[in-house]
């Protein structure tokens, strides 16, 4: 299970994990596999594959996650969302994962397709909340389930207390750990951890794995803000826009360097605060994440420059 992996020996100061996205086409799939082979040499505790909203991407996701289990040394976690699925379909999907030897699932509600902030409408024969999905998976076999957590609070939660209660309920339902939404301020992560510990010490002992995205362009920081539904703090915006310069084109090398610095500083602080693992949102590229890992003291060169 993931929790066992987190206490196993690892390279560098802390275990790390990598998030992949389903590729859109053959070219994207080739790129994903290049990243997979690089990460394989760096021995992440686990890798995870996000779950999209469209039918064809969904099929591809299930297939590729199965291939990760069968053809690599990596431990894959399959994200699963309740969007547009009946309970019968969710059961079939969990069964398809089990058939491919995948026992680790991240149970999510998902967002309305097209507009993440739009109105959520449950499938008439589906589930309303991730907590129900955790219960459902539990009835289907011997799975290890994780859930999402939100350092700044979920954008639909009326307040942080409600948000904390929901996370605690998902953990009580049987989730063994959570992975956080990306965040800009480590304090938000620490406060989330404190809230869960205060609300329920037993559930608070379960790992809260922080999500990190090494930013490589102004577009990607905006994407990170969109994905997390969070407002980028003015000091962070200033740092990146300064690096971008006032020329007609953004100074990509400087923005990237600041992005790597920012992710490294975030990671160092998280390690100092005892985070159980660092979960890197890779966007299917290995370079930025391995650069950050190198800065954290992981011997990436030995892993990356293997003789042909
Ligand atoms: P839930 O835990 O169900 O919470 C949703 C909202 O409902 C919250 O505001 C909560 O407070 C509220 N709520 C819960 N229970 C109740 C209740 N009983 N009564 C009233 N309100 C309640 N999306 C994808 O589409 N694919 C992915 O692969 C994916 N991967 C992700 C990975 C991570 C690590 C994270 C953090 C998010 C990911 N997401 C993904 C996004 C996620 O699906 C959305 O953030 C979604 O809006 C919330 O999902 P959830 O599982 O936290 O929902």
């Amino acid at each position: 299970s993931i929790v066992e992996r987190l206490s196993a020996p690892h390279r560098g100061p802390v275990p790390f994990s990598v998030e992949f996205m389903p590729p859109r086409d053959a070219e994207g799939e080739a790129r994903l596999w290049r990243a997979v082979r690089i990460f394989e040499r760096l021995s992440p505790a686990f890798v995870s594959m996000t779950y999209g909203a469209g039918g064809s991407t969904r099929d591809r996701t299930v297939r590729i996650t199965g291939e990760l289990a069968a053809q690599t040394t990596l431990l894959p976690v399959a994200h699963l969302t309740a969007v547009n699925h009946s309970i019968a379909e969710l059961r079939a999907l969990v069964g398809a994962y089990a058939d491919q030897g995948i026992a680790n699932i991240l149970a999510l509600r998902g967002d309305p397709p097209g507009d993440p902030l739009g109105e959520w409408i449950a499938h008439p024969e589906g589930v309303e909340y991730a907590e129900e999905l955790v219960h459902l998976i539990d009835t289907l076999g011997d799975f290890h389930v994780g859930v999402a957590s939100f350092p700044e609070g979920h954008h639909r939660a009326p307040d942080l207390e409600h948000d904390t209660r929901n996370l605690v309920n998902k953990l009580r339902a049987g989730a063994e750990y959570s992975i956080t939404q990306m965040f800009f301020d480590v304090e938000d992560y620490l406060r989330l951890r404190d809230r869960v510990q205060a609300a329920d010490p037993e559930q608070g002992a379960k790992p809260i794995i922080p999500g990190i995205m090494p930013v490589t362009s102004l577009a990607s920081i905006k994407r990170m803000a969109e994905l997390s539904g969070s407002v980028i703090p003015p000091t962070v915006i200033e740092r990146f826009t300064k690096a971008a310069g006032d020329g007609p084109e953004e100074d990509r090398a400087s923005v990237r360097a600041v992005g790597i610095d920012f992710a490294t500083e975030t990671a160092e602080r998280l390690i100092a605060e005892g985070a159980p693992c660092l979960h890197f949102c890779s966007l299917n590229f290995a370079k930025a994440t391995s650069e950050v890992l190198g800065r954290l003291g992981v011997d990436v060169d030995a892993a990356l420059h293997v003789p042909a």
Side-chain angles (χ1 to χ4, degrees), residues 11-257:
R11 282 169 192 267
V14 72
F16 77 99
S17 51
V18 180
E19 184 168 303
F20 297 119
M21 313 178 297
R24 279 181 220 277
D25 48 29
E27 196 187 315
E29 196 166 332
R31 193 175 83 212
L32 166 72
W33 279 99
R34 280 195 294 279
V36 164
R37 292 306 176 196
I38 292 173
F39 282 122
E40 216 178 357
R41 297 190 209 119
L42 294 170
S43 315
F46 65 93
V47 296
S48 81
M49 178 63 82
T50 63
Y51 193 68
S56 62
T57 343
R58 290 183 153 186
D59 296 341
R60 207 175 312 125
T61 307
V62 178
R63 171 174 62 76
I64 295 174
T65 314
E67 288 169 2
L68 287 175
Q71 300 171 20
T72 75
T73 53
L74 301 168
L75 177 65
V77 173
H79 296 210
L80 181 62
T81 75
V83 175
N84 287 344
H85 279 314
S86 65
I87 287 181
E89 285 165 357
L90 291 167
R91 283 173 186 273
L93 265 166
V94 173
Y97 280 128
D99 289 345
Q100 304 192 78
I102 295 160
N104 288 287
I105 297 180
L106 195 70
L108 305 145
R109 168 160 111 170
D111 288 313
D115 177 12
L117 302 179
E119 190 192 354
W120 162 261
I121 300 168
H123 185 287
E125 286 151 35
V127 301
E128 175 80 32
Y129 297 115
E131 184 190 344
E132 294 162 69
L133 195 51
V134 177
H135 281 297
L136 175 70
I137 298 168
D138 187 46
T139 64
L140 299 177
D142 204 4
F143 293 97
H144 298 284
V145 177
V147 289
S149 54
F150 299 85
E152 299 167 39
H154 185 258
H155 61 270
R156 287 176 205 276
D159 52 44
L160 290 176
E161 194 191 329
H162 180 283
D163 183 80
T164 309
R165 202 174 331 123
N166 178 43
L167 175 57
V168 168
N169 288 342
K170 292 192 284 189
L171 295 167
R172 285 183 184 154
E176 297 173 2
Y177 63 95
S178 73
I179 303 179
T180 77
Q181 185 67 271
M182 294 161 286
F183 50 89
F184 291 97
D185 187 349
V186 174
E187 292 299 324
D188 289 323
Y189 168 81
L190 299 176
R191 282 193 284 257
L192 166 70
R193 199 169 67 176
D194 290 347
R195 282 197 298 277
V196 182
Q197 254 153 22
D200 184 331
E202 191 184 332
Q203 306 309 326
K206 293 180 175 174
I208 301 178
I209 301 173
I212 296 186
M213 181 169 139
V215 166
T216 52
S217 65
L218 285 185
S220 71
I221 195 170
K222 285 186 187 129
R223 181 164 159 74
M224 174 172 161
E226 262 166 39
L227 286 174
S228 63
S230 66
V231 179
I232 315 174
T235 49
V236 176
I237 298 189
E238 200 187 316
R239 209 168 148 188
F240 280 96
T241 44
K242 223 166 152 185
D246 351 306
E249 302 252 324
E250 116 185 28
D251 181 345
R252 294 206 60 152
S254 302
V255 172
R256 189 177 186 284

Side-chain angles (χ1 to χ4, degrees), residues 1-16 43-45 75 276:
S1 71
I2 300 309
V3 175
E4 282 163 1
R5 282 287 175 111
L6 298 186
S7 47
H10 50 83
R11 282 169 192 267
V14 72
F16 77 99
S43 315
L75 177 65

Side-chain angles (χ1 to χ4, degrees), residues 258-270:
V258 169
I260 301 288
D261 282 349
F262 186 68
T264 306
E265 290 157 21
T266 303
E268 282 169 341
R269 176 88 203 283
L270 288 165

